[in-house]
Amino acid sequence: MSARLAWFAALALAGCTPQVAPAPITAPTGKALSTACDGRDGWSDPAPPAKIFGNTYYVGTCGISALLIAAPDGLVLIDGATAEAAPGILANIRALGLDPKNIRYLLASHEHLDHVGGLKALQDATGAAVLARREAVATLTSGEPEAIDPQRGAIPPFAGVKVARELKDGEVLPIRDISLTLHATPGHTPGSTSWTWRSCEAGDCRTIAYVDSLSAVSADDYRFSDHPDYVAMLRATFAKVPTLPCGLLITPHPGASNLFARLAGEAPLVDANACKTYAEGAAKRLDERLAKEAAAR
């Protein structure tokens, strides 16, 4: 039996075992999170946990999102912020009354220090399996950005992790009830990944979309106009994002989707056009960047 088939067989066997539904979780309000982070947006600035919707919780920092999904088959953590932030993320999970050792999977948005620098400490503390797109694996393993990453040389390396398995675009993870789905959205990095899942609360079910960063930022000596294939990849992602199921948008930098104000009730939590608006803004900024590069010639 191949390793891949064995992996699925183990999951199927586990699926036959009765699972206990997670107990109700009491979490601080979004208002408390917004207040705690007022004027603070550092990558490692500690923040309290907060309920987002249904089974989904914010456990990250004031400047970087980390999301916990309390699924029937175990916990899933998406993104790990920085190495300095990892103890706070673990503390936030415990503050929700949950045991970090019940984290089944560690997932990521994109392979930069500010979002995955804490994964190694979190993997060591929990024993969870890291799953990722093939395009992200080399960097997640080595901690060094890919040669084609526009930010290579401008962003520091991080401690690498062991990746248990590669995932494909459109793959649904074998976790009951939530339809946790990977969406390849390359551009900010070659391995950029977005995630969608189903979350229900009092009979109200929504699809949460954790859409990766779309910004075309780079090292000082990088010119996007010198890399037409990379620009084409970005534009394909800008076209794809509005087609994703996007009931409730969250982004790796919470400020990019005004998340804290929305959780505090100061702005609508749900916007049917959120993913479209997010992608259009990124496309406009790329056009401005390309125009600036052309004018500098």
Side-chain angles (χ1 to χ4, degrees):
M1 179 182 293
S2 70
R4 183 179 176 86
L5 287 176
W7 191 82
F8 278 110
L11 289 173
L13 182 60
C16 293
T17 303
Q19 300 287 339
V20 178
I25 298 169
T26 301
T29 65
K31 183 66 174 176
L33 172 61
S34 180
T35 299
C37 291
D38 186 24
R40 300 166 62 240
D41 63 357
W43 291 350
S44 304
D45 286 347
K51 183 174 182 176
I52 296 175
F53 184 84
N55 61 359
T56 303
Y57 301 85
Y58 190 92
V59 294
T61 69
C62 288
I64 300 293
S65 299
L67 304 181
L68 187 75
I69 307 171
D73 296 340
L75 305 177
V76 178
L77 181 65
I78 309 179
D79 277 345
T82 62
E84 294 77 12
I89 291 174
L90 293 169
N92 279 345
I93 294 169
R94 294 188 187 101
L96 294 173
L98 299 170
D99 186 348
K101 290 191 178 297
N102 289 332
I103 296 175
R104 182 172 175 183
Y105 299 129
L106 292 171
L107 309 176
S109 56
H110 67 266
E111 59 279 24
H112 278 164
L113 169 76
D114 46 336
H115 303 280
V116 297
L119 283 189
K120 176 64 165 62
L122 293 168
Q123 186 177 48
D124 289 346
T126 66
V130 175
L131 309 181
R133 288 179 59 219
R134 177 180 58 81
E135 292 81 357
V137 170
T139 295
L140 288 174
T141 302
S142 68
E144 293 284 347
E146 289 268 16
I148 65 170
D149 186 333
Q151 293 188 65
R152 182 179 174 89
I155 192 162
F158 54 88
V161 297
K162 179 180 180 181
V163 177
R165 192 171 74 84
E166 297 177 4
L167 302 176
K168 297 180 180 179
D169 187 24
E171 187 163 347
V172 180
L173 271 63
I175 304 173
R176 288 183 300 140
D177 299 340
I178 66 172
S179 299
L180 179 56
T181 305
L182 178 153
H183 305 274
T185 50
H188 187 74
T189 67
S192 282
T193 302
S194 299
W195 302 90
T196 60
W197 62 95
R198 183 172 179 266
S199 184
C200 297
E201 182 174 316
D204 180 14
C205 293
R206 301 183 184 276
T207 297
I208 295 181
Y210 187 50
V211 181
D212 194 21
S213 300
L214 301 181
S215 52
V217 293
S218 70
D220 290 343
D221 60 350
Y222 185 95
R223 290 171 49 87
F224 281 94
S225 49
D226 292 337
H227 303 274
D229 289 347
Y230 207 91
V231 170
M233 182 168 65
L234 276 163
R235 294 201 186 282
T237 287
F238 298 159
K240 180 177 183 177
V241 165
T243 72
L244 299 179
C246 191
L248 194 164
L249 174 65
I250 308 171
T251 49
H253 290 271
S257 50
N258 198 28
L259 180 64
F260 294 169
R262 291 161 55 214
L263 293 178
E266 298 165 1
L269 182 61
V270 175
D271 176 359
N273 294 315
C275 279
K276 180 174 182 288
T277 301
Y278 183 48
E280 287 178 345
K284 180 181 178 181
R285 290 189 293 274
L286 174 62
D287 288 341
E288 291 169 349
R289 169 68 182 265
L290 292 171
K292 183 177 179 180
E293 290 179 2
R297 281 197 178 276

